[in-house]
Amino acid sequence: MEGFGLSGQLNLQQASVIVVGAGGLGCPALQYLAAAGVGRLGIIDHDVVETSNLQRQILHNEQTVGMYKTESAALAIKRINSRIQVDIITEPLSSLNAANHLQNYDIILDCTDNAPTRYLLSDTAVALGKPLVSGAAQRFYGQMCVYNIGSDGLCYRCLFPKPPTQSETCEETGILGAVTGVIGNLQALEAIKIITGLHDNESNMIVFSALAPTPFRTIKLGKKDPTCAACGKEGEKWCGGPAPDWEQQGLADGGPGSRISAREVGRIQPMQVIDVRPRTEFGICHLPQSRNVPLEDLITNPSAYLPEDNNVETYIVCRLGNDSQMAAKALKELNKDSDNRVIKDVIGGLRAWSRHVDANFPVY
């Protein structure tokens, strides 16, 4: 191609890119970076391949279920281009190891799905002076942006100075697999443009909606914020630590006796089990003794879902144990004057039930 040619291909061969996350975004990004001939690719991910990943994580397959995603992705990349050097890192990224893992690569790709790691990657990119290509996708929507590029490129913290108190992931909210493919491919494209000198060094956010008549919008973001805690003149902010384990921790701190494990709830009678997932998800699979009350319905009218008999214990379940906490809180607030009624949410939700009680219970 005119404007690319041999020099562009040699630049790719001599370049290095580190991809954090070998999931829905990382897989298509890695696939196209490998096919383009990037000489060295790093992959960071400490998760293993699960069957429920395969609808969007296209480098993995049924034969690699149970394998580290880094190893599965490396095998697929080598089948595309055996000359590429592939480095795999299977430990969680934290403020203690981020700089060490990322410093030897030219470009960082954020293909993760949680806020703590996004801030960590952005702050580390600023500290190392590396461009960060960040992607995100949920449901039918996605976005992509290049941070810390050029002398005035803003960082993630410039746009979002205050981290959110909660962080949803595509595992919790659902995702159409092809959407992650669109965003992951755009991330690979931006990296290729940077490597070959085709990028304009401007920070723009591309917003994608699979359902819109015009699916792409571009938002010009401007320059860095001089007061930014990370990349501003006095920036020293450093965000780190592994992403929270929402399955065990939940979105809120539960006091003693406010939560129950999947193993324990299976041994209690009499009780009522309320499943607060959307009706579509309840139709996929549910516990035989459970009733479906979508979270919005329960929050709107919690009094309708407390049993008349105070001795009947109430347990709330959802997919991963987050929505169930909000539902349990609403019922407890309604019942706070009564000390003898048991209302608890199930830690880890139906994912924990499948893992610890019934291995044949579907995981989606």
Side-chain angles (χ1 to χ4, degrees):
M1 292 186 295
E2 188 70 26
F4 192 97
L6 177 60
S7 62
Q9 198 64 60
L10 290 175
N11 286 337
L12 289 172
Q13 184 178 341
Q14 295 162 7
S16 58
V17 178
I18 181 86
V19 177
V20 185
L25 299 174
C27 282
L30 285 164
Q31 185 176 47
Y32 271 91
L33 290 171
V38 174
R40 181 187 178 196
L41 291 173
I43 315 171
I44 301 179
D45 199 313
H46 63 282
D47 285 338
V48 298
V49 179
E50 299 181 15
T51 303
S52 60
N53 302 149
L54 302 184
Q55 58 96 3
R56 65 190 182 279
Q57 300 179 11
I58 57 173
L59 291 183
H60 312 310
N61 56 70
E62 291 181 345
Q63 284 68 48
T64 62
V65 169
M67 184 183 296
Y68 277 117
K69 291 182 181 179
T70 50
E71 296 175 350
S72 173
L75 288 174
I77 288 171
K78 284 292 188 179
R79 284 195 290 268
I80 296 170
N81 188 340
S82 61
R83 298 175 60 189
I84 292 177
Q85 176 184 335
V86 182
D87 311 322
I88 59 175
I89 300 166
T90 55
E91 66 175 324
L93 202 67
S94 74
S95 58
L96 300 178
N97 61 27
N100 183 58
H101 287 325
L102 303 176
Q103 64 184 345
N104 294 322
Y105 297 87
D106 300 322
I107 300 173
I108 303 166
L109 261 63
D110 176 5
C111 297
T112 64
D113 63 357
N114 65 84
T117 307
R118 292 194 187 284
Y119 281 93
L120 172 61
L121 288 174
S122 179
D123 294 346
T124 307
V126 170
L128 297 175
K130 310 278 188 183
L132 173 69
V133 184
S134 180
Q138 286 187 355
R139 300 184 179 95
F140 301 100
Y141 314 102
Q143 65 183 43
M144 191 279 307
C145 185
V146 180
Y147 297 108
N148 200 46
I149 188 166
S151 58
D152 292 318
L154 81 173
C155 74
Y156 186 75
R157 199 179 287 275
C158 288
L159 282 184
F160 309 103
K162 185 178 180 180
T165 56
Q166 299 180 4
S167 175
E168 289 185 325
T169 69
C170 64
E171 184 180 32
E172 295 171 290
T173 62
I175 181 71
L176 185 65
V179 173
T180 60
V182 170
I183 303 301
N185 283 336
L186 286 174
Q187 289 183 267
L189 177 59
E190 293 300 296
I192 291 169
K193 286 161 58 180
I194 294 169
I195 291 168
T196 57
L198 296 174
H199 203 281
D200 60 8
N201 287 341
E202 297 288 336
S203 291
N204 298 305
M205 179 175 287
I206 297 176
V207 180
F208 173 76
S209 170
L211 304 180
T214 304
F216 290 99
R217 290 189 300 121
T218 301
I219 303 170
K220 188 173 180 61
L221 298 180
K223 299 179 180 180
K224 68 173 65 177
D225 180 357
T227 66
C228 176
C231 68
K233 293 181 179 179
E234 298 180 0
E236 293 181 354
K237 193 79 172 182
W238 186 268
C239 175
D245 183 349
W246 297 123
E247 184 175 320
Q248 292 299 320
Q249 175 181 322
L251 294 175
D253 293 330
S258 66
R259 313 191 74 198
I260 189 170
S261 72
R263 289 192 182 98
E264 292 173 304
V265 77
R267 298 194 290 265
I268 295 174
Q269 294 291 339
M271 65 173 175
Q272 73 160 343
V273 178
I274 299 177
D275 188 324
V276 294
R277 293 174 298 153
R279 293 182 177 86
T280 301
E281 295 185 36
F282 186 81
I284 296 173
C285 60
H286 57 268
L287 301 179
Q289 71 271 36
S290 63
R291 62 185 294 205
N292 183 215
V293 182
L295 179 63
E296 183 178 350
D297 295 348
L298 188 144
I299 296 294
T300 302
N301 186 21
S303 61
Y305 305 107
L306 281 175
E308 295 182 3
D309 185 349
N310 286 4
N311 294 318
V312 175
E313 301 180 3
T314 298
Y315 296 95
I316 316 295
V317 68
C318 64
R319 188 172 176 228
L320 293 175
N322 296 330
D323 287 350
S324 60
Q325 281 191 286
M326 291 184 277
K329 182 179 179 181
L331 293 177
K332 289 174 186 176
E333 287 292 323
L334 189 71
N335 193 57
K336 57 186 176 183
D337 295 330
S338 174
D339 295 327
N340 59 352
R341 192 189 290 270
V342 174
I343 302 170
K344 297 182 180 181
D345 73 282
V346 179
I347 300 170
L350 294 175
R351 179 63 61 88
W353 183 272
S354 177
R355 184 171 296 170
H356 302 301
V357 179
D358 180 5
N360 293 319
F361 190 82
V363 174
Y364 66 96

